[in-house]
Amino acid sequence: MKRHIQAFILLFFATTLFVAAQSDNISPQRKQAIDSLALEKVKDLSKYISIIGSKDTQFSEANRVMDRAEELFSPGSEMGVSSLSSQEVAYYPVRRYFERLMALNYDNVTISWYDIHYISDLERQPDGRYVGVVTIYQRFEGTSVETGLNYKDTTKKDITIYVEKKQTQVAGRTIEFWDVMLGDIRVTETSA
């Protein structure tokens, strides 16, 4: 009898853990919504980078946009910078990257992103988060009238995407939701 009770208790806990683990799985419909949100955040970042890098943007507006852009990232994320003149890739904290972008010594800077798509599906991590990778191509053009400098490159970058369950309070009730945060942006290739 004692064995039956122990077996029943063990079965009860195993079932409870299985059901709890299943509740954190992402349904196909939810995954599609999360994928859309991730791609939307990447597109927002593209717009923010274009605004920050533009020499037509006022300093106060660039700082406001930098604040908004930083909110897209998980803490500690870094962004890669490459150049045709060097094989090395430098990585900077997100805010520092934006500040360097704003301070580039060109009269005109144009940055555009294209061919944005997932290259890896979301995979569940031991901590409960899901991680995926979005790839983009960035076209950078910088010109300086005074020096006649004209620099152009195209960089392929991989953006780590984190998806985790969060909670918020709405009218005194706790609501759970899946949120998407951007992580490190790694340079994988730079060409003319």
Side-chain angles (χ1 to χ4, degrees):
M1 181 72 162
K2 196 173 188 179
R3 275 193 196 146
H4 291 296
I5 292 173
Q6 288 175 339
F8 176 76
I9 291 171
L10 184 62
L11 181 63
F12 173 77
F13 282 119
T15 304
T16 303
L17 288 172
F18 178 76
V19 168
Q22 292 300 311
S23 70
D24 277 350
N25 285 342
I26 299 175
S27 70
Q29 297 84 4
R30 177 75 54 172
K31 184 189 174 310
Q32 188 175 10
I34 288 169
D35 287 349
S36 293
L37 178 59
L39 292 175
E40 191 62 36
K41 287 194 174 191
V42 169
K43 289 176 184 174
D44 286 347
L45 178 61
S46 171
K47 287 183 241 172
Y48 294 154
I49 285 176
S50 182
I51 292 167
I52 294 165
S54 172
K55 296 303 175 182
D56 295 331
T57 305
Q58 292 183 357
F59 183 78
S60 60
E61 175 66 5
N63 273 305
R64 187 188 68 75
V65 172
M66 279 192 269
D67 292 342
R68 294 289 307 270
E70 270 189 298
E71 293 171 2
L72 298 173
F73 287 89
S74 11
S77 296
E78 294 182 329
M79 297 178 75
V81 176
S82 62
S83 168
L84 292 173
S85 62
S86 173
Q87 294 281 38
E88 292 191 29
V89 176
Y91 288 93
Y92 298 97
V94 172
R95 185 66 177 213
R96 182 72 185 120
Y97 170 86
F98 293 141
E99 291 167 349
R100 287 175 51 84
L101 178 61
M102 191 171 64
L104 286 174
N105 198 18
Y106 293 105
D107 295 318
N108 188 29
V109 172
T110 305
I111 301 169
S112 57
W113 284 13
Y114 62 94
D115 200 11
I116 301 169
H117 61 277
Y118 267 100
I119 60 167
S120 78
D121 205 8
L122 294 174
E123 292 184 18
R124 188 178 173 109
Q125 304 300 302
D127 65 1
R129 292 193 302 179
Y130 286 82
V131 176
V133 177
V134 170
T135 189
I136 62 103
Y137 287 85
Q138 175 181 288
R139 182 71 180 157
F140 176 93
E141 296 182 39
T143 56
S144 177
V145 176
E146 188 176 308
T147 63
L149 181 63
N150 188 10
Y151 178 86
K152 296 179 184 180
D153 74 20
T154 300
T155 307
K156 181 180 177 188
K157 296 184 176 188
D158 290 342
I159 304 171
T160 304
I161 304 295
Y162 296 106
V163 179
E164 59 186 72
K165 194 171 267 192
K166 293 188 176 178
Q167 295 180 344
T168 189
Q169 293 286 329
V170 177
R173 294 182 51 218
T174 301
I175 307 292
E176 287 189 336
F177 64 97
W178 290 99
D179 193 19
V180 175
M181 300 296 287
L182 304 182
D184 290 339
I185 299 182
R186 299 282 174 206
V187 172
T188 58
E189 162 186 327
T190 303
S191 60

